[in-house]
């Protein structure tokens, strides 16, 4: 979800205003996903690198996260949405964690859309934490445990969640920015110049139409 700051600047407003309006885009995309039976929608809300932004902006984003989590409880219930947060929990505040956990528990048995918010997340962090946990299991077992791709994926923070079919990047940037590095091995990428606060259902529709025209061969021929 990129381009909030530039969007705000264009309106002569503070960056946080852009982040706020960006939550409207989140709502629109969730609605679209529910309406079209999309099973998983993950949103890159805050990266490990984003901790290096000015403290005011970081605080504002964390407050916005807390407000959204609490504010959307009713939407989750009504729409059968399972809510998950994935990322480095050690950097999040106790209050935010408590509320995230509450809403995760509350929605754990919902069977519609799984909405995943990547918060304090980065792809390299995920691969490292998975490697550390695998190494710890080996130590505990006193031997090198067998490991294959499926086994390694089970150590990732995204365990149990299918790899993304489509990755959409807004605001004209064309890079992966440390997103799901392992999980995106065969993901289709879609880039749009639209800034995140302007990204609405019709933009998501265009991205999915583009995806539907593609042929996925996974390195094979036909
Ligand atoms: C994306 O918008 C939101 C977050 C990273 C939290 P940006 O804040 O990156 O907006 P730009 O890139 O400065 O326009
Ligand atoms: Mg940006």
């Amino acid at each position: 979800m990129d381009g909030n700051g530039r969007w705000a600047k264009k309106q002569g407003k503070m960056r946080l205003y852009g982040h706020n309006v960006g939550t409207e885009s989140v709502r629109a995309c969730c609605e679209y996903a529910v309406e079209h039976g999309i099973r998983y929608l993950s949103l890159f809300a805050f990266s490990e690198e984003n901790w290096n932004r000015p403290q005011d902006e970081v605080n504002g984003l964390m407050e916005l996260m807390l407000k959204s989590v609490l504010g959307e409880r009713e939407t989750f219930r009504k729409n059968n949405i399972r809510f998950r947060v994935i990322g480095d929990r050690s950097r999040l505040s106790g209050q935010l964690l408590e509320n995230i956990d509450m809403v995760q528990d509350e929605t754990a048995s919902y069977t519609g859309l799984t909405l995943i918010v990547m918060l304090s997340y980065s792809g390299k962090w995920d691969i490292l934490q998975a490697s550390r946990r695998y190494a710890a299991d080996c130590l505990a077992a006193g031997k090198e445990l067998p490991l294959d791709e499926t086994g390694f994926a089970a150590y990732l923070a995204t365990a149990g969640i299918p790899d993304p079919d489509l990755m959409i990047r807004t605001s004209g940037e064309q890079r992966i920015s440390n997103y799901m590095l392992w999980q995106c091995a065969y993901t289709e990428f879609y880039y749009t110049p639209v800034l995140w606060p302007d990204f609405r259902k019709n933009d998501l529709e265009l991205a999915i139409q583009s995806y539907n025209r593609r042929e996925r061969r996974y390195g094979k021929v036909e």
Side-chain angles (χ1 to χ4, degrees), residues 29-30 32-34 36-43 80-84 86 110-118 158-168 179-180 204 208:
C29 290
C30 289
Y32 182 97
V34 168
H36 290 80
I38 292 173
R39 302 301 315 282
Y40 294 88
L41 177 67
S42 56
L43 302 167
N80 198 21
I81 297 174
R82 181 164 65 135
F83 176 72
R84 288 274 313 267
I86 290 180
Y110 294 171
T111 53
L113 171 71
T114 297
L115 173 66
I116 307 150
V117 174
M118 311 301 275
T158 51
I161 297 166
D163 287 346
D165 289 314
L166 171 64
M167 203 280 279
I168 300 171
Y179 198 45
M180 302 190 193
L204 183 50
I208 290 168

Side-chain angles (χ1 to χ4, degrees), residues 42-44 118 121-123 167 176-181 184:
S42 56
L43 302 167
F44 200 3
M118 311 301 275
Y121 175 87
S122 84
M167 203 280 279
I176 194 164
S177 293
N178 213 349
Y179 198 45
M180 302 190 193
L181 297 179
C184 278

Side-chain angles (χ1 to χ4, degrees), residues 25-92:
S25 308
V26 171
R27 200 166 294 128
C29 290
C30 289
E31 253 180 52
Y32 182 97
V34 168
E35 287 161 5
H36 290 80
I38 292 173
R39 302 301 315 282
Y40 294 88
L41 177 67
S42 56
L43 302 167
F44 200 3
F46 193 90
S47 70
E48 288 274 66
E49 292 82 357
N50 288 152
W51 288 111
N52 300 319
R53 291 190 175 194
Q55 198 56 48
D56 278 2
E57 184 172 349
V58 170
N59 293 344
L61 283 165
M62 291 301 148
E63 271 167 38
L64 190 59
M65 187 63 212
L66 183 60
K67 201 177 107 194
S68 305
V69 171
L70 293 175
E72 297 304 321
R73 284 168 81 187
E74 191 51 22
T75 317
F76 297 156
R77 196 186 58 78
K78 274 197 200 132
N79 293 295
N80 198 21
I81 297 174
R82 181 164 65 135
F83 176 72
R84 288 274 313 267
V85 172
I86 290 180
D88 183 359
R89 291 171 60 95
S90 71
R91 304 184 77 169
L92 302 175

Side-chain angles (χ1 to χ4, degrees), residues 126-139:
D126 198 2
I127 292 169
L128 258 183
Q129 68 79 27
S131 308
R132 289 197 183 107
R133 289 199 296 132
Y134 165 71
D137 283 354
C138 291
L139 273 176

Side-chain angles (χ1 to χ4, degrees), residues 1-6 15 53 169 171 173 175:
M1 302 186 284
D2 205 1
N4 295 350
R6 277 163 284 169
R15 294 178 58 82
R53 291 190 175 194
R169 174 123 195 198
S171 86
E173 309 293 357
R175 52 177 171 265

